[in-house]
Amino acid sequence: MRLRFRDDALEAEFREDRFLHNIGNIRFAYLAGIALWIVWGLLLQPHILALADRRLDTVMRYGVFIPLLVIGFGLTFTPLYRRLWQSMTVVIAALTLVLWVYYASNILTLPAEYGYVGIILITAFTYTLLRLRFILVELVTVIGIAAYLPYAYTAKYIVEVSQLIAAFFLLSFGVLGSVAAFRMERAARKVFLRERELEQERQRSDGLLLNILPQAVIDQLKSSPDGRVAQAFDQVTVVFADAVGSTEQAAQCTAEQFAEALDDLFSRFDEIADRHRLEKIKTIGDAYMAVAGAPVPRANHRAAALSMALDILQEAGEVRWPSGDQIVVRVGVATGPALAGIIGHRKFAYDLWGDTVNLASRLQEAAEPGQALVSEPTADHLDYSCEFGPTIVVDLEGKGPTAARVLLGRRADAPMPSEA
């Protein structure tokens, strides 16, 4: 795998993701470095015999190395660090390495091995905790080796075998560290791609699920331990719309033509439902059912439902059957309590039950073509903003004589019902 994505946007996304995952490690690395400098100082001070060496150790340790790490730690909390964290880290690591060589070359009462061991530890931090990109780990490693080996081979007090050991260990750990950094970055990129693919699949699944269930129900379903969702609503308003004469029209055209006409009609109904914030429940043959006030209760559910009913009557007239005949619908609207929930484990659906649903369906059946028949309690709440015909009594199947009113339109001097 290339250690860079060809897509610049994807590469930028990876680096942002890497920063977000590593910021905790980076801060820990700085704090661990500060702690190690302090602990090493306490352990080594008794072994630094020369007074000048001890003074230099104190100045470099507490006046240079530790403050440099404190600055690095502080920068991690600045907005600029998010964009430049790797370059800032390289600068701090390179400065530390160069200053370390100066320090080690002037502390003469400690063994020569002390110098290259420090180089190894500093470079190890860049890929174990700081987790710099492979190319930057390579850069820091080269800087460390290039700074230390010339000193080691020119210092007269370092014997030849120590020079060879220093070169061997620095080069060996440099190669091993580079290999480790390469493999870690490659693994990080693979994990990033897999997580990205999983996130895309999750979003696609959520999108498909959102076409089946309302968002509020999806959220409840995810938090439900038994995978069940059941709700009871005191007041909702149900809208039923039915395409008149669909059976006769189906006999006059192909299945594809008939399905295309219904799809066009119901797609328009979907847009109307979205516009007035109703929840589509289902289609039953050539009938369309929606509800206002579920799954999220709302105060103006009656007004929103009547707005949808009026728009349905208007919009349906713009769609034609394959025969060329204009599609005419009839609508039923009713308000009252209802139960809702998810039914089934295969091809499951969010459904609505109760007498209110039955009443809206029966009113739709009793309405004339091109007419919306509204239950009287629904109309009584909105006669200030909508025009209704006089109360009529219709004999509904399974319910008997029922008072209802025909929805005529919006009052010219009133706000849209959904805004009331």
Side-chain angles (χ1 to χ4, degrees):
M1 174 186 287
R2 287 164 51 94
L3 288 187
R4 180 180 171 85
F5 297 114
R6 290 185 175 88
D7 186 334
D8 290 340
L10 184 61
E11 179 68 22
E13 189 179 338
F14 166 73
R15 294 187 184 184
E16 174 69 10
D17 179 79
R18 192 165 174 82
F19 169 78
L20 293 175
H21 280 83
N22 284 344
I23 186 62
N25 289 325
I26 294 168
R27 288 171 179 159
F28 175 77
Y30 282 120
L31 294 175
I34 292 169
L36 287 174
W37 279 114
I38 294 172
V39 171
W40 290 344
L42 296 175
L43 292 175
L44 288 175
Q45 274 284 328
H47 301 283
I48 302 176
L49 304 178
L51 182 61
D53 286 358
R54 188 174 297 179
R55 188 181 300 115
L56 178 63
D57 175 79
T58 302
V59 171
M60 293 295 294
R61 189 178 300 276
Y62 298 102
V64 178
F65 293 126
I66 291 177
L68 198 58
L69 294 180
V70 170
I71 291 171
F73 180 75
L75 287 173
T76 65
F77 295 94
T78 63
L80 186 64
Y81 194 76
R82 190 187 195 100
R83 186 164 54 91
L84 301 174
W85 71 276
Q86 299 217 55
S87 57
M88 288 182 177
T89 304
V90 168
V91 169
I92 291 174
L95 278 174
T96 303
L97 286 168
V98 172
L99 291 169
W100 172 261
V101 173
Y102 169 80
Y103 164 84
S105 64
N106 284 276
I107 303 292
L108 303 179
T109 54
L110 288 176
E113 292 76 14
Y114 185 53
Y116 67 76
V117 169
I119 298 291
I120 291 171
L121 288 175
I122 294 168
T123 54
F125 260 70
T126 62
Y127 62 86
T128 56
L129 290 177
L130 296 172
R131 298 185 185 179
L132 292 176
R133 292 169 52 211
F134 161 71
I135 190 66
L136 298 179
V137 171
E138 285 277 273
L139 176 61
V140 171
T141 302
V142 169
I143 290 172
I145 294 174
Y148 184 78
L149 286 184
Y151 147 70
Y153 275 87
T154 56
K156 296 180 180 180
Y157 54 87
I158 299 180
V159 298
E160 185 177 352
V161 66
S162 294
Q163 294 170 346
L164 289 173
I165 291 173
F168 174 77
F169 275 104
L170 285 176
L171 293 173
S172 298
F173 275 94
V175 171
L176 291 174
S178 297
V179 170
F182 178 86
R183 293 179 64 85
M184 288 172 68
E185 184 176 347
R186 185 176 64 174
R189 288 176 180 272
K190 287 182 177 179
V191 170
F192 167 75
L193 287 177
R194 287 171 184 165
E195 289 179 347
R196 192 169 182 271
E197 289 169 357
L198 287 173
E199 177 62 19
Q200 290 173 343
E201 286 298 318
R202 186 193 65 78
Q203 290 177 357
R204 189 172 70 171
S205 298
D206 286 352
L208 293 173
L209 195 58
L210 197 57
N211 285 328
I212 301 172
L213 300 174
Q215 182 64 60
V217 174
I218 293 174
D219 295 339
Q220 292 181 50
L221 188 62
K222 288 180 178 179
S223 61
S224 173
D226 57 1
R228 293 184 180 275
V229 174
Q231 303 165 294
F233 298 95
D234 293 332
Q235 291 285 292
V236 298
T237 301
V238 178
V239 178
F240 259 96
D242 177 75
V244 179
S246 60
T247 303
E248 293 79 6
Q249 292 291 335
Q252 301 175 27
C253 60
T254 66
E256 291 80 4
Q257 291 172 327
F258 182 76
E260 184 179 356
L262 271 188
D263 180 65
D264 186 10
L265 180 68
F266 288 164
S267 295
R268 292 170 183 254
F269 289 178
D270 287 343
E271 293 175 3
I272 295 170
D274 290 342
R275 185 160 67 241
H276 296 292
R277 295 189 297 115
L278 273 78
E279 190 63 50
K280 175 185 178 180
I281 298 300
K282 58 186 173 183
T283 58
I284 311 166
D286 58 359
Y288 185 100
M289 175 183 172
V291 61
V296 179
R298 57 188 293 190
N300 64 338
H301 54 89
R302 296 179 184 86
L306 291 189
S307 283
M308 180 171 183
L310 289 170
D311 286 355
I312 280 176
L313 293 174
Q314 180 181 354
E315 194 83 16
E318 300 178 7
V319 186
R320 294 185 177 276
W321 293 113
S323 65
D325 295 339
Q326 189 180 57
I327 294 181
V328 179
V329 299
R330 54 191 175 205
V331 180
V333 183
T335 300
L339 302 176
I342 296 177
I343 55 173
H345 294 284
R346 296 178 59 205
K347 299 182 180 179
F348 56 86
Y350 180 73
D351 209 348
L352 202 70
W353 310 284
D355 189 59
T356 303
V357 177
N358 296 332
L359 178 56
S361 177
R362 297 293 181 261
L363 287 171
Q364 171 266 127
E365 292 172 359
E368 296 294 328
Q371 186 182 79
L373 202 55
V374 182
S375 66
E376 191 168 44
T378 307
D380 288 346
H381 277 80
L382 294 170
D383 57 4
Y384 67 90
S385 61
C386 291
E387 293 184 355
F388 298 93
T391 299
I392 59 175
V393 176
V394 290
D395 190 16
L396 302 181
E397 181 184 347
K399 298 190 70 64
T402 304
R405 298 172 73 181
V406 176
L407 177 61
L408 302 177
R410 300 182 179 96
R411 292 188 183 278
D413 57 346
M416 288 183 62
S418 61
E419 297 173 353

PDB file of all heavy atoms in Angstrom, residues 146-178:
ATOM      1  N   ALA A 146      22.831  11.753  11.936  1.00  0.00           N
ATOM      2  CA  ALA A 146      23.756  12.716  11.324  1.00  0.00           C
ATOM      3  C   ALA A 146      24.348  13.667  12.363  1.00  0.00           C
ATOM      4  O   ALA A 146      25.478  14.139  12.198  1.00  0.00           O
ATOM      5  CB  ALA A 146      23.028  13.509  10.244  1.00  0.00           C
ATOM      6  N   ALA A 147      23.623  13.926  13.431  1.00  0.00           N
ATOM      7  CA  ALA A 147      24.135  14.823  14.468  1.00  0.00           C
ATOM      8  C   ALA A 147      25.103  14.098  15.405  1.00  0.00           C
ATOM      9  O   ALA A 147      26.092  14.692  15.864  1.00  0.00           O
ATOM     10  CB  ALA A 147      22.967  15.405  15.268  1.00  0.00           C
ATOM     11  N   TYR A 148      24.848  12.806  15.680  1.00  0.00           N
ATOM     12  CA  TYR A 148      25.638  12.117  16.701  1.00  0.00           C
ATOM     13  C   TYR A 148      26.921  11.477  16.153  1.00  0.00           C
ATOM     14  O   TYR A 148      27.988  11.580  16.780  1.00  0.00           O
ATOM     15  CB  TYR A 148      24.802  11.044  17.394  1.00  0.00           C
ATOM     16  CG  TYR A 148      25.555  10.378  18.516  1.00  0.00           C
ATOM     17  CD1 TYR A 148      25.703  11.001  19.750  1.00  0.00           C
ATOM     18  CD2 TYR A 148      26.171   9.138  18.327  1.00  0.00           C
ATOM     19  CE1 TYR A 148      26.420  10.411  20.770  1.00  0.00           C
ATOM     20  CE2 TYR A 148      26.899   8.535  19.345  1.00  0.00           C
ATOM     21  CZ  TYR A 148      27.014   9.175  20.571  1.00  0.00           C
ATOM     22  OH  TYR A 148      27.739   8.599  21.583  1.00  0.00           O
ATOM     23  N   LEU A 149      26.838  10.789  15.012  1.00  0.00           N
ATOM     24  CA  LEU A 149      28.001  10.027  14.542  1.00  0.00           C
ATOM     25  C   LEU A 149      29.227  10.896  14.258  1.00  0.00           C
ATOM     26  O   LEU A 149      30.357  10.487  14.607  1.00  0.00           O
ATOM     27  CB  LEU A 149      27.626   9.204  13.311  1.00  0.00           C
ATOM     28  CG  LEU A 149      26.760   7.966  13.578  1.00  0.00           C
ATOM     29  CD1 LEU A 149      26.541   7.169  12.297  1.00  0.00           C
ATOM     30  CD2 LEU A 149      27.390   7.069  14.650  1.00  0.00           C
ATOM     31  N   PRO A 150      29.099  12.066  13.637  1.00  0.00           N
ATOM     32  CA  PRO A 150      30.311  12.902  13.463  1.00  0.00           C
ATOM     33  C   PRO A 150      30.971  13.243  14.787  1.00  0.00           C
ATOM     34  O   PRO A 150      32.207  13.248  14.895  1.00  0.00           O
ATOM     35  CB  PRO A 150      29.760  14.159  12.767  1.00  0.00           C
ATOM     36  CG  PRO A 150      28.553  13.684  12.044  1.00  0.00           C
ATOM     37  CD  PRO A 150      27.940  12.657  12.944  1.00  0.00           C
ATOM     38  N   TYR A 151      30.180  13.521  15.810  1.00  0.00           N
ATOM     39  CA  TYR A 151      30.745  13.782  17.136  1.00  0.00           C
ATOM     40  C   TYR A 151      31.438  12.544  17.670  1.00  0.00           C
ATOM     41  O   TYR A 151      32.580  12.599  18.175  1.00  0.00           O
ATOM     42  CB  TYR A 151      29.648  14.248  18.098  1.00  0.00           C
ATOM     43  CG  TYR A 151      29.869  13.819  19.521  1.00  0.00           C
ATOM     44  CD1 TYR A 151      30.908  14.376  20.284  1.00  0.00           C
ATOM     45  CD2 TYR A 151      29.072  12.831  20.096  1.00  0.00           C
ATOM     46  CE1 TYR A 151      31.132  13.948  21.590  1.00  0.00           C
ATOM     47  CE2 TYR A 151      29.291  12.409  21.391  1.00  0.00           C
ATOM     48  CZ  TYR A 151      30.316  12.966  22.140  1.00  0.00           C
ATOM     49  OH  TYR A 151      30.542  12.548  23.421  1.00  0.00           O
ATOM     50  N   ALA A 152      30.758  11.370  17.547  1.00  0.00           N
ATOM     51  CA  ALA A 152      31.317  10.135  18.107  1.00  0.00           C
ATOM     52  C   ALA A 152      32.646   9.768  17.445  1.00  0.00           C
ATOM     53  O   ALA A 152      33.563   9.258  18.104  1.00  0.00           O
ATOM     54  CB  ALA A 152      30.313   8.990  17.944  1.00  0.00           C
ATOM     55  N   TYR A 153      32.767  10.029  16.128  1.00  0.00           N
ATOM     56  CA  TYR A 153      33.985   9.642  15.415  1.00  0.00           C
ATOM     57  C   TYR A 153      35.084  10.698  15.479  1.00  0.00           C
ATOM     58  O   TYR A 153      36.208  10.458  15.024  1.00  0.00           O
ATOM     59  CB  TYR A 153      33.648   9.318  13.955  1.00  0.00           C
ATOM     60  CG  TYR A 153      33.178   7.892  13.780  1.00  0.00           C
ATOM     61  CD1 TYR A 153      31.837   7.553  13.941  1.00  0.00           C
ATOM     62  CD2 TYR A 153      34.090   6.877  13.489  1.00  0.00           C
ATOM     63  CE1 TYR A 153      31.401   6.253  13.794  1.00  0.00           C
ATOM     64  CE2 TYR A 153      33.666   5.561  13.340  1.00  0.00           C
ATOM     65  CZ  TYR A 153      32.324   5.256  13.501  1.00  0.00           C
ATOM     66  OH  TYR A 153      31.903   3.954  13.373  1.00  0.00           O
ATOM     67  N   THR A 154      34.770  11.839  16.015  1.00  0.00           N
ATOM     68  CA  THR A 154      35.819  12.878  16.149  1.00  0.00           C
ATOM     69  C   THR A 154      36.254  13.087  17.593  1.00  0.00           C
ATOM     70  O   THR A 154      37.316  13.679  17.840  1.00  0.00           O
ATOM     71  CB  THR A 154      35.314  14.219  15.581  1.00  0.00           C
ATOM     72  OG1 THR A 154      34.088  14.587  16.230  1.00  0.00           O
ATOM     73  CG2 THR A 154      35.090  14.127  14.081  1.00  0.00           C
ATOM     74  N   ALA A 155      35.445  12.619  18.531  1.00  0.00           N
ATOM     75  CA  ALA A 155      35.815  12.777  19.938  1.00  0.00           C
ATOM     76  C   ALA A 155      36.965  11.820  20.270  1.00  0.00           C
ATOM     77  O   ALA A 155      36.849  10.600  20.104  1.00  0.00           O
ATOM     78  CB  ALA A 155      34.605  12.501  20.837  1.00  0.00           C
ATOM     79  N   LYS A 156      38.078  12.355  20.738  1.00  0.00           N
ATOM     80  CA  LYS A 156      39.278  11.549  20.983  1.00  0.00           C
ATOM     81  C   LYS A 156      39.122  10.604  22.164  1.00  0.00           C
ATOM     82  O   LYS A 156      39.805   9.576  22.236  1.00  0.00           O
ATOM     83  CB  LYS A 156      40.473  12.463  21.212  1.00  0.00           C
ATOM     84  CG  LYS A 156      40.825  13.296  19.985  1.00  0.00           C
ATOM     85  CD  LYS A 156      42.010  14.202  20.241  1.00  0.00           C
ATOM     86  CE  LYS A 156      42.354  15.022  18.996  1.00  0.00           C
ATOM     87  NZ  LYS A 156      43.510  15.927  19.227  1.00  0.00           N
ATOM     88  N   TYR A 157      38.224  10.938  23.081  1.00  0.00           N
ATOM     89  CA  TYR A 157      38.092  10.101  24.276  1.00  0.00           C
ATOM     90  C   TYR A 157      37.157   8.906  24.050  1.00  0.00           C
ATOM     91  O   TYR A 157      36.950   8.090  24.951  1.00  0.00           O
ATOM     92  CB  TYR A 157      37.592  10.941  25.464  1.00  0.00           C
ATOM     93  CG  TYR A 157      36.310  11.706  25.192  1.00  0.00           C
ATOM     94  CD1 TYR A 157      35.077  11.120  25.393  1.00  0.00           C
ATOM     95  CD2 TYR A 157      36.361  13.017  24.717  1.00  0.00           C
ATOM     96  CE1 TYR A 157      33.919  11.818  25.136  1.00  0.00           C
ATOM     97  CE2 TYR A 157      35.214  13.714  24.454  1.00  0.00           C
ATOM     98  CZ  TYR A 157      33.969  13.119  24.669  1.00  0.00           C
ATOM     99  OH  TYR A 157      32.826  13.809  24.414  1.00  0.00           O
ATOM    100  N   ILE A 158      36.507   8.813  22.869  1.00  0.00           N
ATOM    101  CA  ILE A 158      35.646   7.664  22.576  1.00  0.00           C
ATOM    102  C   ILE A 158      36.476   6.655  21.779  1.00  0.00           C
ATOM    103  O   ILE A 158      36.956   6.964  20.685  1.00  0.00           O
ATOM    104  CB  ILE A 158      34.401   8.076  21.784  1.00  0.00           C
ATOM    105  CG1 ILE A 158      33.552   9.071  22.585  1.00  0.00           C
ATOM    106  CG2 ILE A 158      33.560   6.855  21.412  1.00  0.00           C
ATOM    107  CD1 ILE A 158      32.309   9.532  21.863  1.00  0.00           C
ATOM    108  N   VAL A 159      36.643   5.471  22.335  1.00  0.00           N
ATOM    109  CA  VAL A 159      37.478   4.454  21.712  1.00  0.00           C
ATOM    110  C   VAL A 159      36.786   3.906  20.469  1.00  0.00           C
ATOM    111  O   VAL A 159      35.572   4.038  20.289  1.00  0.00           O
ATOM    112  CB  VAL A 159      37.795   3.317  22.699  1.00  0.00           C
ATOM    113  CG1 VAL A 159      38.585   3.856  23.886  1.00  0.00           C
ATOM    114  CG2 VAL A 159      36.503   2.655  23.169  1.00  0.00           C
ATOM    115  N   GLU A 160      37.595   3.252  19.619  1.00  0.00           N
ATOM    116  CA  GLU A 160      37.083   2.795  18.328  1.00  0.00           C
ATOM    117  C   GLU A 160      35.935   1.822  18.468  1.00  0.00           C
ATOM    118  O   GLU A 160      34.944   1.884  17.729  1.00  0.00           O
ATOM    119  CB  GLU A 160      38.218   2.158  17.527  1.00  0.00           C
ATOM    120  CG  GLU A 160      37.785   1.754  16.118  1.00  0.00           C
ATOM    121  CD  GLU A 160      38.949   1.182  15.325  1.00  0.00           C
ATOM    122  OE1 GLU A 160      40.087   1.243  15.809  1.00  0.00           O
ATOM    123  OE2 GLU A 160      38.696   0.669  14.213  1.00  0.00           O
ATOM    124  N   VAL A 161      36.031   0.895  19.424  1.00  0.00           N
ATOM    125  CA  VAL A 161      34.959  -0.089  19.573  1.00  0.00           C
ATOM    126  C   VAL A 161      33.647   0.581  19.976  1.00  0.00           C
ATOM    127  O   VAL A 161      32.559   0.187  19.536  1.00  0.00           O
ATOM    128  CB  VAL A 161      35.365  -1.179  20.590  1.00  0.00           C
ATOM    129  CG1 VAL A 161      35.500  -0.607  22.010  1.00  0.00           C
ATOM    130  CG2 VAL A 161      34.335  -2.314  20.577  1.00  0.00           C
ATOM    131  N   SER A 162      33.721   1.614  20.798  1.00  0.00           N
ATOM    132  CA  SER A 162      32.516   2.343  21.191  1.00  0.00           C
ATOM    133  C   SER A 162      31.930   3.082  19.993  1.00  0.00           C
ATOM    134  O   SER A 162      30.709   3.205  19.856  1.00  0.00           O
ATOM    135  CB  SER A 162      32.821   3.334  22.312  1.00  0.00           C
ATOM    136  OG  SER A 162      33.189   2.658  23.498  1.00  0.00           O
ATOM    137  N   GLN A 163      32.812   3.568  19.103  1.00  0.00           N
ATOM    138  CA  GLN A 163      32.335   4.223  17.896  1.00  0.00           C
ATOM    139  C   GLN A 163      31.576   3.233  17.006  1.00  0.00           C
ATOM    140  O   GLN A 163      30.494   3.541  16.476  1.00  0.00           O
ATOM    141  CB  GLN A 163      33.509   4.825  17.131  1.00  0.00           C
ATOM    142  CG  GLN A 163      34.192   5.968  17.865  1.00  0.00           C
ATOM    143  CD  GLN A 163      35.491   6.388  17.188  1.00  0.00           C
ATOM    144  OE1 GLN A 163      36.015   5.665  16.331  1.00  0.00           O
ATOM    145  NE2 GLN A 163      36.007   7.543  17.571  1.00  0.00           N
ATOM    146  N   LEU A 164      32.148   2.026  16.872  1.00  0.00           N
ATOM    147  CA  LEU A 164      31.484   0.998  16.059  1.00  0.00           C
ATOM    148  C   LEU A 164      30.151   0.577  16.669  1.00  0.00           C
ATOM    149  O   LEU A 164      29.156   0.386  15.961  1.00  0.00           O
ATOM    150  CB  LEU A 164      32.403  -0.219  15.916  1.00  0.00           C
ATOM    151  CG  LEU A 164      33.638  -0.022  15.033  1.00  0.00           C
ATOM    152  CD1 LEU A 164      34.549  -1.237  15.119  1.00  0.00           C
ATOM    153  CD2 LEU A 164      33.216   0.239  13.590  1.00  0.00           C
ATOM    154  N   ILE A 165      30.147   0.408  17.990  1.00  0.00           N
ATOM    155  CA  ILE A 165      28.911   0.021  18.669  1.00  0.00           C
ATOM    156  C   ILE A 165      27.851   1.106  18.495  1.00  0.00           C
ATOM    157  O   ILE A 165      26.668   0.822  18.230  1.00  0.00           O
ATOM    158  CB  ILE A 165      29.178  -0.248  20.163  1.00  0.00           C
ATOM    159  CG1 ILE A 165      30.015  -1.526  20.315  1.00  0.00           C
ATOM    160  CG2 ILE A 165      27.864  -0.374  20.930  1.00  0.00           C
ATOM    161  CD1 ILE A 165      30.474  -1.793  21.734  1.00  0.00           C
ATOM    162  N   ALA A 166      28.264   2.365  18.631  1.00  0.00           N
ATOM    163  CA  ALA A 166      27.315   3.473  18.469  1.00  0.00           C
ATOM    164  C   ALA A 166      26.722   3.471  17.060  1.00  0.00           C
ATOM    165  O   ALA A 166      25.490   3.618  16.875  1.00  0.00           O
ATOM    166  CB  ALA A 166      28.011   4.801  18.747  1.00  0.00           C
ATOM    167  N   ALA A 167      27.571   3.315  16.044  1.00  0.00           N
ATOM    168  CA  ALA A 167      27.085   3.302  14.658  1.00  0.00           C
ATOM    169  C   ALA A 167      26.153   2.122  14.420  1.00  0.00           C
ATOM    170  O   ALA A 167      25.089   2.265  13.787  1.00  0.00           O
ATOM    171  CB  ALA A 167      28.277   3.244  13.698  1.00  0.00           C
ATOM    172  N   PHE A 168      26.549   0.955  14.957  1.00  0.00           N
ATOM    173  CA  PHE A 168      25.736  -0.244  14.760  1.00  0.00           C
ATOM    174  C   PHE A 168      24.350  -0.078  15.395  1.00  0.00           C
ATOM    175  O   PHE A 168      23.324  -0.346  14.755  1.00  0.00           O
ATOM    176  CB  PHE A 168      26.448  -1.457  15.361  1.00  0.00           C
ATOM    177  CG  PHE A 168      25.615  -2.704  15.339  1.00  0.00           C
ATOM    178  CD1 PHE A 168      25.457  -3.428  14.165  1.00  0.00           C
ATOM    179  CD2 PHE A 168      24.985  -3.159  16.498  1.00  0.00           C
ATOM    180  CE1 PHE A 168      24.679  -4.580  14.148  1.00  0.00           C
ATOM    181  CE2 PHE A 168      24.209  -4.307  16.474  1.00  0.00           C
ATOM    182  CZ  PHE A 168      24.062  -5.022  15.303  1.00  0.00           C
ATOM    183  N   PHE A 169      24.321   0.366  16.645  1.00  0.00           N
ATOM    184  CA  PHE A 169      23.046   0.491  17.335  1.00  0.00           C
ATOM    185  C   PHE A 169      22.172   1.591  16.713  1.00  0.00           C
ATOM    186  O   PHE A 169      20.966   1.414  16.542  1.00  0.00           O
ATOM    187  CB  PHE A 169      23.257   0.765  18.824  1.00  0.00           C
ATOM    188  CG  PHE A 169      23.467  -0.476  19.627  1.00  0.00           C
ATOM    189  CD1 PHE A 169      24.727  -0.844  20.069  1.00  0.00           C
ATOM    190  CD2 PHE A 169      22.403  -1.303  19.945  1.00  0.00           C
ATOM    191  CE1 PHE A 169      24.926  -2.001  20.800  1.00  0.00           C
ATOM    192  CE2 PHE A 169      22.582  -2.454  20.684  1.00  0.00           C
ATOM    193  CZ  PHE A 169      23.847  -2.811  21.112  1.00  0.00           C
ATOM    194  N   LEU A 170      22.761   2.702  16.376  1.00  0.00           N
ATOM    195  CA  LEU A 170      21.970   3.777  15.784  1.00  0.00           C
ATOM    196  C   LEU A 170      21.393   3.372  14.435  1.00  0.00           C
ATOM    197  O   LEU A 170      20.204   3.612  14.162  1.00  0.00           O
ATOM    198  CB  LEU A 170      22.824   5.036  15.629  1.00  0.00           C
ATOM    199  CG  LEU A 170      23.107   5.827  16.913  1.00  0.00           C
ATOM    200  CD1 LEU A 170      24.044   6.984  16.627  1.00  0.00           C
ATOM    201  CD2 LEU A 170      21.801   6.347  17.516  1.00  0.00           C
ATOM    202  N   LEU A 171      22.220   2.762  13.598  1.00  0.00           N
ATOM    203  CA  LEU A 171      21.719   2.339  12.293  1.00  0.00           C
ATOM    204  C   LEU A 171      20.701   1.210  12.421  1.00  0.00           C
ATOM    205  O   LEU A 171      19.686   1.198  11.718  1.00  0.00           O
ATOM    206  CB  LEU A 171      22.892   1.913  11.404  1.00  0.00           C
ATOM    207  CG  LEU A 171      23.842   3.054  10.994  1.00  0.00           C
ATOM    208  CD1 LEU A 171      25.060   2.483  10.269  1.00  0.00           C
ATOM    209  CD2 LEU A 171      23.115   4.062  10.114  1.00  0.00           C
ATOM    210  N   SER A 172      20.982   0.253  13.320  1.00  0.00           N
ATOM    211  CA  SER A 172      20.056  -0.877  13.511  1.00  0.00           C
ATOM    212  C   SER A 172      18.702  -0.385  14.022  1.00  0.00           C
ATOM    213  O   SER A 172      17.636  -0.743  13.482  1.00  0.00           O
ATOM    214  CB  SER A 172      20.646  -1.889  14.494  1.00  0.00           C
ATOM    215  OG  SER A 172      21.840  -2.436  13.992  1.00  0.00           O
ATOM    216  N   PHE A 173      18.738   0.439  15.076  1.00  0.00           N
ATOM    217  CA  PHE A 173      17.477   0.951  15.615  1.00  0.00           C
ATOM    218  C   PHE A 173      16.810   1.909  14.628  1.00  0.00           C
ATOM    219  O   PHE A 173      15.575   2.002  14.590  1.00  0.00           O
ATOM    220  CB  PHE A 173      17.720   1.636  16.957  1.00  0.00           C
ATOM    221  CG  PHE A 173      17.729   0.682  18.108  1.00  0.00           C
ATOM    222  CD1 PHE A 173      18.917   0.133  18.577  1.00  0.00           C
ATOM    223  CD2 PHE A 173      16.551   0.299  18.738  1.00  0.00           C
ATOM    224  CE1 PHE A 173      18.942  -0.752  19.641  1.00  0.00           C
ATOM    225  CE2 PHE A 173      16.565  -0.589  19.799  1.00  0.00           C
ATOM    226  CZ  PHE A 173      17.761  -1.124  20.273  1.00  0.00           C
ATOM    227  N   GLY A 174      17.619   2.605  13.830  1.00  0.00           N
ATOM    228  CA  GLY A 174      17.039   3.471  12.810  1.00  0.00           C
ATOM    229  C   GLY A 174      16.255   2.684  11.785  1.00  0.00           C
ATOM    230  O   GLY A 174      15.136   3.049  11.407  1.00  0.00           O
ATOM    231  N   VAL A 175      16.827   1.568  11.323  1.00  0.00           N
ATOM    232  CA  VAL A 175      16.137   0.717  10.351  1.00  0.00           C
ATOM    233  C   VAL A 175      14.894   0.087  10.979  1.00  0.00           C
ATOM    234  O   VAL A 175      13.804   0.092  10.383  1.00  0.00           O
ATOM    235  CB  VAL A 175      17.091  -0.371   9.822  1.00  0.00           C
ATOM    236  CG1 VAL A 175      16.318  -1.396   8.982  1.00  0.00           C
ATOM    237  CG2 VAL A 175      18.207   0.254   8.995  1.00  0.00           C
ATOM    238  N   LEU A 176      15.070  -0.474  12.181  1.00  0.00           N
ATOM    239  CA  LEU A 176      13.925  -1.110  12.852  1.00  0.00           C
ATOM    240  C   LEU A 176      12.816  -0.096  13.130  1.00  0.00           C
ATOM    241  O   LEU A 176      11.625  -0.392  12.958  1.00  0.00           O
ATOM    242  CB  LEU A 176      14.383  -1.756  14.162  1.00  0.00           C
ATOM    243  CG  LEU A 176      15.290  -2.987  14.024  1.00  0.00           C
ATOM    244  CD1 LEU A 176      15.789  -3.433  15.390  1.00  0.00           C
ATOM    245  CD2 LEU A 176      14.542  -4.129  13.340  1.00  0.00           C
ATOM    246  N   GLY A 177      13.203   1.103  13.574  1.00  0.00           N
ATOM    247  CA  GLY A 177      12.207   2.133  13.836  1.00  0.00           C
ATOM    248  C   GLY A 177      11.483   2.555  12.576  1.00  0.00           C
ATOM    249  O   GLY A 177      10.263   2.780  12.594  1.00  0.00           O
ATOM    250  N   SER A 178      12.213   2.644  11.463  1.00  0.00           N
ATOM    251  CA  SER A 178      11.598   3.017  10.195  1.00  0.00           C
ATOM    252  C   SER A 178      10.623   1.939   9.726  1.00  0.00           C
ATOM    253  O   SER A 178       9.521   2.241   9.244  1.00  0.00           O
ATOM    254  CB  SER A 178      12.678   3.253   9.139  1.00  0.00           C
ATOM    255  OG  SER A 178      13.504   4.335   9.515  1.00  0.00           O
TER     256      SER A 178
END
